[in-house]
């Protein structure tokens, strides 16, 4: 599996803020991560590709030091990447510079109020564009604070991007910045900030919430980072192997951070045979190879509490559910409506045209599986991906389990997170 997208973004951002040299191996060379690299260069860091390595690229970063970001000369083009946008807004918020953020049509429809609000409290001034239903969206201009104020912020939505934006702003803020996280989300920022030498503590309060404290005006030191493989990319191959009769697939180098491993738990509860082989630690994260065999899946009710640990994996879980025996019920997934597309509505329409039986509710999908029978699509069943990589890849997996095949209208977005997807899928299905 290619490098983890979340960890790749963070390694470039922190490398660019550290003093000295950071080496990153296994970096995901997807468009989203390259947007982060371009933005960090535009703010003064030196970021170079040294060559191809195992599972990703070898990169070198020379940082500017916390507080040393320069004013970018032109607008920062974030492409399709919500993670680049929200985390970089955090970084800029505590530097005395002004940056304009722009993005593609998908990103320009996504809500930015969730970061504007806490970053405003820190002292940043942000002018955003009005979006649908009173939301604040790109393009936006952010003027960082001259004297940023440390805040204590309780996350109103379970979002690692919002958490990370506040923590990254805290790096150049005198005093202690605190984030209270009632529902845990991916913790790569916390792990990596510590790895770079920041003073960061995590404690569980009386109500079971995680309280993260970061001491500001941190001095980060360059690191050697090995990026583990992305479990969100592995997800497509896990489900493909479970669905296609005769499959017995080993997926190498899969990150298994518990804050990311919800899909595996749900697929196992559905009867999926997923074995962890050669467990090890890579770059401070648990990693294993996964051996996945074709399995008869049963529908389940997915516990909404698992959602943050599999938030990007619902599109492909819906595909697994469409082939299971019985009904799968998902709820509590409002956040899916503000991803690269409205993943509840878009997957309902996509699975409909692929011939699955799906019901849409306000906060999830209820899916009646075929019990392993291949899907039978309608005649004009071309899938609309709406600039969403995970819709394209999920529906490619559905195509493997379809009598008539599935046609996807636009595969270009796949390059945002998984440029080698089509080649790997061809290899894996050719070997069957
Ligand atoms: C990410 C956090 C998640 C996830 C996204 C990557 C991150 O977003 O969907 O793909 O790297 O922090 P939210 O914070 O909006 O849930």
């Amino acid at each position: 599996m290619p490098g983890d997208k979340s960890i790749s973004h963070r390694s470039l951002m922190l490398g660019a803020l550290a003093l000295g040299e950071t080496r990153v191996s296994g970096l995901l060379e997807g468009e989203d991560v390259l947007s982060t690299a371009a933005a960090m260069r535009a703010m003064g860091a030196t970021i170079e590709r040294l060559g191809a390595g195992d599972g990703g690229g070898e990169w070198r970063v020379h940082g500017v030091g916390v507080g040393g970001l320069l004013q970018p000369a032109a607008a920062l083009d974030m492409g399709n990447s919500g993670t680049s946008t929200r985390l970089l807004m955090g970084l800029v918020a505590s530097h005395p510079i002004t940056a304009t953020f722009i993005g593609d049509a998908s990103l320009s429809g996504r809500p930015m109020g969730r970061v504007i609000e806490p970053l405003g409290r820190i002292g940043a001034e942000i002018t955003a564009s009005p979006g649908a239903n009173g939301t604040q969206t790109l393009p936006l201009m952010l003027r960082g604070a001259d004297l940023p104020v440390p805040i204590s912020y309780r996350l109103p939505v379970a979002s690692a991007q919002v958490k990370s934006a506040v923590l990254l702003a805290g790096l150049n803020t005198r005093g202690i910045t605190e984030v209270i996280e009632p529902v845990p989300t991916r913790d790569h920022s916390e792990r990596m900030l510590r790895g770079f030498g920041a003073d960061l503590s995590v404690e569980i309060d009386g109500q079971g919430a995680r309280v993260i404290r970061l001491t500001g005006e941190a001095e980060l030191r360059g690191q050697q980072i090995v990026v583990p493989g992305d479990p969100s990319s592995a997800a497509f191959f896990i489900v493909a192997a479970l669905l296609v009769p005769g499959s017995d697939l080993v997926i190498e180098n899969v990150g298994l951070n518990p804050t990311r491993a919800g899909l595996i738990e749900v697929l196992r509860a559905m009867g999926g045979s997923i074995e962890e082989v050669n467990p090890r630690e890579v770059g401070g994260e648990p990693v294993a190879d996964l051996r996945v065999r074709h399995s008869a899946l049963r529908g389940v009710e997915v516990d909404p509490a698992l959602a943050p640990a599999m938030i990007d994996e619902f599109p492909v879980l819906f595909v697994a559910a469409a082939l299971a025996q019985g009904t799968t019920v998902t709820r509590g997934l409002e956040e899916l409506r503000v991803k690269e597309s409205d993943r509840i509505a878009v997957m309902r329409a996509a699975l409909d045209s692929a011939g699955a039986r799906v019901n849409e509710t306000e906060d999830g999908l209820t899916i009646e599986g075929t019990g392993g029978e291949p899907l039978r699509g309608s005649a004009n069943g071309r899938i609309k991906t709406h600039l969403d990589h995970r819709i394209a890849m999920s529906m490619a997996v559905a195509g493997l389990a379809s009598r008539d095949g599935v046609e996807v209208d636009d595969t270009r977005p796949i390059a945002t997170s998984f440029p080698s997807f089509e080649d790997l899928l061809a290899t894996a299905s050719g070997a069957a």
Side-chain angles (χ1 to χ4, degrees), residues 65-418:
V66 169
L69 290 180
L70 303 178
Q71 168 122 358
L76 301 176
D77 188 351
M78 304 282 93
N80 189 252
S81 179
T83 309
S84 309
T85 310
R86 296 193 177 115
L87 272 56
L88 291 178
M89 284 173 66
L91 281 184
V92 173
S94 59
H95 281 74
I97 59 175
T98 298
T100 299
F101 292 82
I102 59 173
D104 73 4
S106 155
L107 183 59
S108 301
R110 298 180 65 186
M112 294 299 150
R114 55 182 60 197
V115 277
I116 291 173
E117 202 261 320
L119 298 179
R121 292 198 209 177
I122 284 165
E125 286 171 28
I126 301 152
T127 316
S129 306
N133 309 318
T135 54
Q136 294 175 284
T137 59
L138 300 192
L140 65 76
M141 199 173 82
L142 192 156
R143 183 163 173 265
D146 290 331
L147 270 180
V149 180
I151 60 169
S152 171
Y153 192 65
R154 191 178 178 87
L155 293 176
V157 45
S159 165
Q161 292 179 358
V162 177
K163 167 175 67 178
S164 303
V166 175
L167 290 175
L168 292 177
L171 278 176
N172 195 39
T173 300
R174 174 166 296 186
I176 292 179
T177 293
E178 183 178 86
V179 179
I180 301 159
E181 189 178 46
V183 180
T185 65
R186 67 191 67 195
D187 62 356
H188 308 300
S189 295
E190 295 94 304
R191 287 176 189 244
M192 203 180 279
L193 280 164
R194 273 215 191 106
F196 271 86
D199 176 8
L200 179 141
S201 67
V202 181
E203 145 188 327
I204 309 294
D205 74 7
Q207 282 85 51
R210 289 176 82 237
V211 182
I212 306 152
R213 292 192 186 93
L214 174 78
T215 306
E217 301 191 313
E219 195 167 291
L220 305 183
R221 288 176 300 278
Q223 299 295 312
Q224 302 265 353
I225 297 175
V226 183
V227 180
D230 198 326
S232 301
S233 296
F236 303 106
F237 287 89
I238 297 173
V239 171
L242 292 174
L243 295 186
V244 175
S247 298
D248 184 351
L249 188 68
V250 176
I251 307 170
E252 291 172 356
N253 182 31
V254 184
L256 292 176
N257 180 312
T259 62
R260 300 283 299 280
L263 177 74
I264 293 175
E265 190 176 323
V266 171
L267 290 173
R268 283 187 177 140
M270 294 173 82
S273 167
I274 306 171
E275 205 183 314
E276 285 163 36
V277 188
N278 185 19
R280 54 203 185 269
E281 199 166 278
V282 174
E285 299 266 351
V287 167
D289 304 328
L290 298 181
R291 180 172 182 194
V292 187
R293 278 173 271 202
H294 170 248
S295 307
L297 299 180
R298 301 177 294 276
V300 288
E301 283 206 22
V302 180
D303 179 356
L306 280 173
M310 55 180 292
I311 195 67
D312 292 336
E313 283 66 78
F314 281 98
V316 80
L317 173 72
F318 296 148
V319 174
L323 274 292
Q325 176 78 52
T327 311
T328 294
V329 182
T330 60
R331 49 172 90 86
L333 305 180
E334 306 73 1
E335 274 296 301
L336 291 196
R337 294 204 185 269
V338 293
K339 293 295 179 187
E340 287 82 328
S341 69
D342 174 343
R343 289 182 173 159
I344 295 181
V346 171
M347 280 305 293
R348 198 254 310 130
L351 284 172
D352 256 353
S353 45
R357 280 173 296 167
V358 192
N359 232 320
E360 180 176 344
T361 60
E362 218 163 272
D363 62 345
L365 292 181
T366 300
I367 299 173
E368 205 64 57
T370 62
E373 285 301 309
L375 297 169
R376 294 164 170 236
S378 60
N380 56 354
R382 196 177 228 220
I383 305 302
K384 291 198 179 63
T385 51
H386 298 271
L387 292 177
D388 188 334
H389 53 140
R390 299 202 199 279
I391 303 296
M393 292 186 277
S394 299
M395 293 312 294
V397 172
L400 295 178
S402 160
R403 191 194 60 172
D404 308 311
V406 160
E407 201 180 325
V408 170
D409 68 342
D410 185 7
T411 57
R412 280 171 308 176
I414 293 172
T416 61
S417 70
F418 198 169

